[in-house]
Amino acid sequence: MKPYEHKVNYYETDKMGITHHSNYIRIMEEARVDFLDQLGWSFIKLEESGVASPVMSVEGVFKKSTTFPDIIKINVTIEKLSALKLIFNYEFKVDNEVVFLGKSSHCFLDESGRPVILEKRFPEFYADLKREAEANG
Protein backbone atom coordinates (compact mmCIF):
# COMPACT_ATOMS: atom_id res chain seq x y z
CA MET A 1 0.00 0.00 0.00
CA LYS A 2 1.10 3.51 -0.74
CA PRO A 3 1.60 5.66 2.39
CA TYR A 4 -0.98 8.36 3.06
CA GLU A 5 0.42 11.90 3.17
CA HIS A 6 -0.88 14.65 5.43
CA LYS A 7 0.50 18.18 5.45
CA VAL A 8 0.26 19.71 8.91
CA ASN A 9 -1.94 22.78 8.66
CA TYR A 10 -1.28 25.90 10.68
CA TYR A 11 -4.66 25.60 12.41
CA GLU A 12 -3.68 22.11 13.65
CA THR A 13 -0.91 23.54 15.79
CA ASP A 14 -1.12 24.85 19.35
CA LYS A 15 0.34 27.95 20.98
CA MET A 16 3.73 26.21 21.14
CA GLY A 17 3.68 25.68 17.36
CA ILE A 18 3.40 21.90 17.46
CA THR A 19 0.63 19.72 16.10
CA HIS A 20 -2.02 19.43 18.81
CA HIS A 21 -2.34 15.84 20.01
CA SER A 22 -6.07 15.68 19.25
CA ASN A 23 -5.35 15.91 15.53
CA TYR A 24 -3.54 12.58 15.44
CA ILE A 25 -6.77 10.59 15.83
CA ARG A 26 -8.31 12.52 12.94
CA ILE A 27 -5.20 11.94 10.80
CA MET A 28 -5.34 8.22 11.66
CA GLU A 29 -8.90 8.18 10.31
CA GLU A 30 -7.83 9.97 7.12
CA ALA A 31 -5.10 7.35 6.63
CA ARG A 32 -7.51 4.47 7.36
CA VAL A 33 -10.04 5.82 4.83
CA ASP A 34 -7.23 6.07 2.24
CA PHE A 35 -6.06 2.52 3.08
CA LEU A 36 -9.56 1.14 2.50
CA ASP A 37 -9.88 3.15 -0.73
CA GLN A 38 -6.63 1.62 -1.98
CA LEU A 39 -7.93 -1.82 -0.99
CA GLY A 40 -11.02 -1.19 -3.13
CA TRP A 41 -13.41 -0.87 -0.18
CA SER A 42 -14.29 2.79 0.25
CA PHE A 43 -16.46 3.84 3.17
CA ILE A 44 -19.25 4.50 0.66
CA LYS A 45 -18.97 0.96 -0.74
CA LEU A 46 -18.92 -0.51 2.78
CA GLU A 47 -21.96 1.48 3.88
CA GLU A 48 -23.83 0.59 0.68
CA SER A 49 -22.98 -3.08 1.40
CA GLY A 50 -24.52 -2.71 4.85
CA VAL A 51 -21.41 -2.93 7.01
CA ALA A 52 -20.13 -0.42 9.54
CA SER A 53 -16.82 -0.62 11.37
CA PRO A 54 -16.87 1.66 14.41
CA VAL A 55 -13.79 2.46 16.45
CA MET A 56 -13.58 0.45 19.68
CA SER A 57 -10.26 1.82 20.96
CA VAL A 58 -7.40 4.11 19.98
CA GLU A 59 -3.81 4.19 21.25
CA GLY A 60 -0.89 6.43 20.43
CA VAL A 61 2.74 6.94 21.31
CA PHE A 62 4.32 10.28 20.48
CA LYS A 63 8.00 9.98 19.47
CA LYS A 64 8.71 13.50 18.19
CA SER A 65 6.67 16.67 17.65
CA THR A 66 5.45 17.71 14.25
CA THR A 67 4.93 21.31 13.16
CA PHE A 68 3.50 23.37 10.34
CA PRO A 69 4.13 22.63 7.40
CA ASP A 70 5.54 19.12 7.95
CA ILE A 71 4.53 16.41 5.52
CA ILE A 72 3.64 13.29 7.50
CA LYS A 73 3.73 9.98 5.67
CA ILE A 74 1.50 7.42 7.34
CA ASN A 75 1.88 3.69 6.75
CA VAL A 76 -1.22 1.73 7.72
CA THR A 77 -0.99 -2.00 8.29
CA ILE A 78 -3.28 -4.65 9.68
CA GLU A 79 -2.04 -6.02 12.99
CA LYS A 80 -4.87 -8.48 13.55
CA LEU A 81 -7.94 -9.64 11.68
CA SER A 82 -10.51 -11.95 13.22
CA ALA A 83 -14.13 -12.76 12.48
CA LEU A 84 -15.34 -9.89 14.68
CA LYS A 85 -12.40 -7.51 15.06
CA LEU A 86 -9.82 -5.60 13.03
CA ILE A 87 -6.76 -3.84 14.46
CA PHE A 88 -4.82 -1.28 12.41
CA ASN A 89 -1.31 0.00 13.12
CA TYR A 90 -0.22 3.46 12.03
CA GLU A 91 3.37 4.61 11.63
CA PHE A 92 3.78 8.36 11.11
CA LYS A 93 7.08 9.56 9.62
CA VAL A 94 8.50 12.97 8.79
CA ASP A 95 11.68 12.96 6.70
CA ASN A 96 11.88 9.18 7.21
CA GLU A 97 11.92 9.55 11.03
CA VAL A 98 9.16 7.94 13.11
CA VAL A 99 7.23 10.65 14.96
CA PHE A 100 4.14 8.74 16.12
CA LEU A 101 2.90 5.16 16.45
CA GLY A 102 -0.82 4.52 16.67
CA LYS A 103 -3.30 1.69 16.84
CA SER A 104 -7.07 1.47 16.42
CA SER A 105 -9.40 -1.47 16.89
CA HIS A 106 -12.73 -1.88 15.13
CA CYS A 107 -15.68 -4.25 15.18
CA PHE A 108 -18.19 -4.94 12.41
CA LEU A 109 -21.91 -4.15 12.59
CA ASP A 110 -24.84 -4.65 10.25
CA GLU A 111 -27.50 -2.06 9.42
CA SER A 112 -29.33 -2.74 12.69
CA GLY A 113 -26.20 -2.27 14.79
CA ARG A 114 -25.71 -5.96 15.57
CA PRO A 115 -22.25 -7.52 15.41
CA VAL A 116 -21.53 -9.55 12.29
CA ILE A 117 -19.00 -12.22 11.45
CA LEU A 118 -17.24 -10.51 8.59
CA GLU A 119 -15.97 -13.68 6.90
CA LYS A 120 -19.52 -15.05 6.60
CA ARG A 121 -21.49 -11.87 5.88
CA PHE A 122 -18.95 -10.03 3.70
CA PRO A 123 -16.53 -12.70 2.43
CA GLU A 124 -15.04 -10.57 -0.36
CA PHE A 125 -14.13 -7.75 2.05
CA TYR A 126 -12.75 -10.25 4.57
CA ALA A 127 -10.65 -11.96 1.87
CA ASP A 128 -9.16 -8.65 0.74
CA LEU A 129 -8.32 -7.67 4.34
CA LYS A 130 -6.81 -11.10 5.00
CA ARG A 131 -4.71 -10.94 1.84
CA GLU A 132 -3.37 -7.51 2.86
CA ALA A 133 -2.72 -8.63 6.44
CA GLU A 134 -0.76 -11.67 5.22
CA ALA A 135 1.21 -9.57 2.72
CA ASN A 136 2.50 -7.37 5.54
CA GLY A 137 2.54 -9.91 8.35
Side-chain angles (χ1 to χ4, degrees):
M1 290 280 179
K2 184 180 81 173
Y4 175 73
E5 291 189 8
H6 176 85
K7 179 181 177 185
V8 175
N9 295 292
Y10 183 76
Y11 68 82
E12 293 173 314
T13 62
D14 60 18
K15 190 174 181 179
M16 296 178 288
I18 62 173
T19 307
H20 192 270
H21 65 275
S22 64
N23 289 299
Y24 285 80
I25 292 174
R26 187 180 49 75
I27 297 168
M28 286 167 63
E29 182 169 326
E30 291 174 12
R32 185 171 61 254
V33 168
D34 180 71
F35 176 91
L36 291 171
D37 283 347
Q38 289 185 61
L39 195 62
W41 289 92
S42 69
F43 267 61
I44 291 170
K45 182 177 179 178
L46 289 171
E47 289 173 356
E48 287 174 350
S49 299
V51 65
S53 183
V55 175
M56 294 172 48
S57 67
V58 176
E59 300 175 28
V61 177
F62 297 89
K63 300 286 191 176
K64 185 178 178 189
S65 298
T66 59
T67 60
F68 170 78
D70 285 343
I71 303 293
I72 305 172
K73 291 186 178 183
I74 301 106
N75 288 304
V76 179
T77 57
I78 297 171
E79 176 181 305
K80 182 179 180 184
L81 173 65
S82 70
L84 296 170
K85 191 174 183 181
L86 174 61
I87 300 174
F88 287 107
N89 285 325
Y90 308 81
E91 181 183 64
F92 288 40
K93 289 184 175 181
V94 174
D95 297 328
N96 221 22
E97 182 177 1
V98 176
V99 296
F100 176 81
L101 297 171
K103 183 181 294 197
S104 64
S105 64
H106 307 262
C107 63
F108 302 102
L109 305 176
D110 65 14
E111 302 89 348
S112 64
R114 288 188 297 250
V116 296
I117 297 174
L118 193 64
E119 186 175 15
K120 290 182 181 180
R121 180 86 188 270
F122 303 98
E124 300 87 9
F125 181 41
Y126 182 85
D128 288 344
L129 288 169
K130 185 175 181 182
R131 189 171 24 262
E132 184 60 29
E134 289 170 351
N136 290 301

